[in-house]
Amino acid sequence: MSIFKKIKPIDLFITCTFAIFSIICIYVYASRDLYPMDFDGNRIICGYVLNGINPLKHINETSLIDYLGVVPYGYGNLPYGLLLGNLFYFGFFNYTQALLLYKILTVIFIVITLVLAKRYFVKHNYGNRIYYYFVLFTLLSINIFGSYRIGNIGHIICMLILIMIFFIDENTIISGIALSLAMIKPQVAFPFVITLLFMKRIKVVMLAAAIDVLASIICAMLVKESVISMFLDFFSAQVGLGTTSYGILTMFFPKNYYEALFPSMTCGMIILITSHIFTKEINNTLCIFVFPTLVANIWSYSWNSDYYILILPTIVFLYLYFRNDSKSRINIFIKTFLLTNVYFLLFIWAARRLFRGYDFLPPFLGGLYQDKGYIERIVFSNTITYFMIVFCILISIFVFRYYHKKEII
């Protein structure tokens, strides 16, 4: 009974509402007729490299490797990603064997991430309460489930970034290796590279870069091409099939969404640099990494599989929510913002589908989209969440500065 007496109403509210929302989201998503489409496509392109063939030269051609099949259009990676991707997509096995290993690997990474999070939170005095939420938000994460369901390694990449952060203050080698593997998805990892440079963690970045450069060279040697040629092949591969967003400015390039990529990347880097300038006096490591986490979801090629990394700002926001019990108006505003964004970031997978008005939650917004096609719906819904994230970034700058002045962080 003493355990139940220690449970506070706010913890009960967050736990119950999060669990209910998550179970509904997972159930609805699980009921859809989906298969691990991303897994097989990436397994094929990674497997071709191991067989000495550049897959990006043979898109939609007759299968050259029997156990792999035809290289599908819309899949691609940088040379180091094509090689290192075999650690996750298992291009040296047939589909059934590789998929089983992918499922096992997901469980292994979840366990490792939870163990290392416990270690980190104890060491830095975040407390059992915050760790409890980290576990809850992980085990019932629609973002992990969704990524896993379509056979993408986005959730694993996010865990690698978390592992990099957990070791950033004590082990350069582990952090560097984790970052190098996370760079398989540069659209997620690169903002963290910029932040590491801001933090003057040059050794971590250099180690990661050295591993990826070496992997690129080996990949080029395997397929008997130059590294530069393979990079150019990637940039012309039009990854994503044009069925997703290419950053925050995508809606302004309706004739060719790919044209939004570099302007969006520029916009994202400006936001990241500005965030750093206004918060550079803050020393809390998790707070520092909130900004690259949020920018990673607005600055570039974006798909659903990379949202688990948003657990980092949600944990930081909850930590700050519990740190100040002041009843002042400004603190009530701040705490409302923090808690609201916890839910938004944890359920951004569902939110984007909700804003599309179909195919996830009840389509009560469907009337807004009657004249819009599939891709237009994606761009429109993503754009709404992009600008919500930008608002979140701006308010986070204010909150961090305010809490820093109050010596709360």
Side-chain angles (χ1 to χ4, degrees):
M1 294 298 293
S2 59
I3 296 178
F4 293 101
K5 290 181 180 179
K6 294 180 181 179
I7 297 177
K8 296 184 178 180
I10 185 61
D11 294 307
L12 189 61
F13 171 79
I14 295 173
T15 299
C16 291
T17 52
F18 173 78
I20 291 170
F21 292 160
S22 291
I23 291 171
I24 292 173
C25 290
I26 291 172
Y27 172 78
V28 173
Y29 196 73
S31 65
R32 297 180 62 203
D33 186 20
L34 295 173
Y35 67 97
M37 61 193 86
D38 279 7
F39 181 80
D40 199 31
N42 284 292
R43 180 187 71 95
I44 291 171
I45 62 174
C46 292
Y48 264 67
V49 165
L50 294 182
N51 286 276
I53 301 172
N54 181 354
L56 303 184
K57 299 284 192 185
H58 301 278
I59 296 172
N60 280 342
E61 295 182 4
T62 303
S63 174
L64 301 177
I65 310 293
D66 289 340
Y67 81 94
L68 292 172
V70 176
V71 177
Y73 174 69
Y75 289 85
N77 211 320
L78 294 166
Y80 63 84
L82 291 172
L83 181 66
L84 297 178
N86 284 288
L87 297 174
F88 307 97
Y89 291 113
F90 308 103
F92 38 85
F93 286 123
N94 65 42
Y95 176 78
T96 302
Q97 295 168 331
L99 185 61
L100 175 61
L101 289 173
Y102 162 79
K103 293 177 179 179
I104 294 173
L105 191 65
T106 291
V107 175
I108 291 173
F109 263 94
I110 290 175
V111 172
I112 290 174
T113 303
L114 292 179
V115 170
L116 293 179
K118 174 67 173 179
R119 178 177 177 272
Y120 184 87
F121 290 160
V122 168
K123 182 176 181 179
H124 294 275
N125 299 315
Y126 281 94
N128 290 329
R129 190 183 199 183
I130 295 301
Y131 179 65
Y132 159 75
Y133 281 111
F134 187 89
V135 174
L136 178 69
F137 296 161
T138 297
L139 296 183
L140 288 181
S141 172
I142 178 60
N143 297 327
I144 289 182
F145 180 82
S147 178
Y148 165 82
R149 183 76 190 281
I150 62 174
N152 198 285
I153 64 167
H155 56 301
I156 296 177
I157 294 297
C158 294
M159 293 178 202
L160 283 166
I161 292 174
L162 291 174
I163 292 170
M164 180 272 292
I165 294 172
F166 292 153
F167 281 99
I168 193 65
D169 294 321
E170 59 180 289
N171 195 309
T172 298
I173 294 177
I174 294 178
S175 289
I177 293 173
L179 179 61
S180 71
L181 295 176
M183 281 297 292
I184 291 175
K185 283 202 165 193
Q187 71 271 23
V188 181
F190 190 72
F192 291 90
V193 172
I194 300 299
T195 298
L196 288 169
L197 294 177
F198 289 152
M199 297 170 68
K200 299 181 180 180
R201 303 303 176 99
I202 308 298
K203 290 183 179 179
V204 174
V205 175
M206 293 300 293
L207 176 58
I211 293 172
D212 289 341
V213 168
L214 178 60
S216 295
I217 294 172
I218 294 173
C219 180
M221 292 173 62
L222 286 173
V223 301
K224 298 179 175 59
E225 295 186 21
S226 71
V227 173
I228 294 177
S229 174
M230 296 197 71
F231 268 82
L232 293 176
D233 287 339
F234 167 73
F235 288 120
S236 62
Q238 294 194 326
V239 176
L241 298 169
T243 59
T244 184
S245 291
Y246 293 85
I248 190 171
L249 301 180
T250 303
M251 68 178 297
F252 299 107
F253 295 84
K255 294 183 178 180
N256 186 351
Y257 292 136
Y258 291 109
E259 293 179 355
L261 183 59
F262 289 104
S264 294
M265 291 171 69
T266 302
C267 183
M269 288 301 100
I270 291 173
I271 293 173
L272 184 59
I273 292 169
T274 302
S275 301
H276 168 71
I277 291 173
F278 282 99
T279 60
K280 60 184 178 181
E281 72 276 13
I282 294 172
N283 295 318
N284 184 293
T285 299
L286 292 189
C287 287
I288 292 172
F289 281 111
V290 162
F291 296 109
T293 299
L294 296 174
V295 169
N297 282 270
I298 66 172
W299 83 297
S300 180
Y301 167 79
S302 175
W303 200 238
N304 304 336
S305 55
D306 310 324
Y307 298 157
Y308 173 65
I309 193 59
L310 292 171
I311 193 174
L312 193 152
T314 64
I315 288 299
V316 171
F317 292 164
L318 269 188
Y319 172 73
L320 297 181
Y321 180 92
F322 293 131
R323 286 280 288 173
N324 193 346
D325 293 328
S326 170
K327 303 297 184 181
S328 66
R329 289 183 179 180
I330 188 171
N331 197 55
I332 292 174
F333 164 77
I334 288 174
K335 295 185 78 167
T336 301
F337 158 78
L338 292 173
L339 192 58
T340 300
N341 276 279
V342 165
Y343 283 91
F344 167 66
L345 296 176
L346 289 172
F347 294 104
I348 191 171
W349 188 296
R352 288 188 172 178
R353 283 168 169 75
L354 181 64
F355 292 136
R356 290 177 205 171
Y358 80 113
D359 98 334
F360 192 74
L361 296 175
F364 55 84
L365 297 178
L368 298 174
Y369 303 89
Q370 289 180 354
D371 298 324
K372 288 183 170 62
Y374 174 72
I375 300 176
E376 289 178 298
R377 291 175 181 232
I378 290 176
V379 172
F380 183 75
S381 63
N382 283 11
T383 300
I384 293 175
T385 57
Y386 285 153
F387 283 98
M388 292 175 71
I389 289 175
V390 171
F391 177 75
C392 181
I393 290 171
L394 295 175
I395 300 298
S396 293
I397 293 173
F398 165 75
V399 171
F400 290 175
R401 288 174 61 87
Y402 175 79
Y403 274 53
H404 180 70
K405 290 179 180 179
K406 295 290 184 180
E407 297 183 347
I408 297 174
I409 56 174

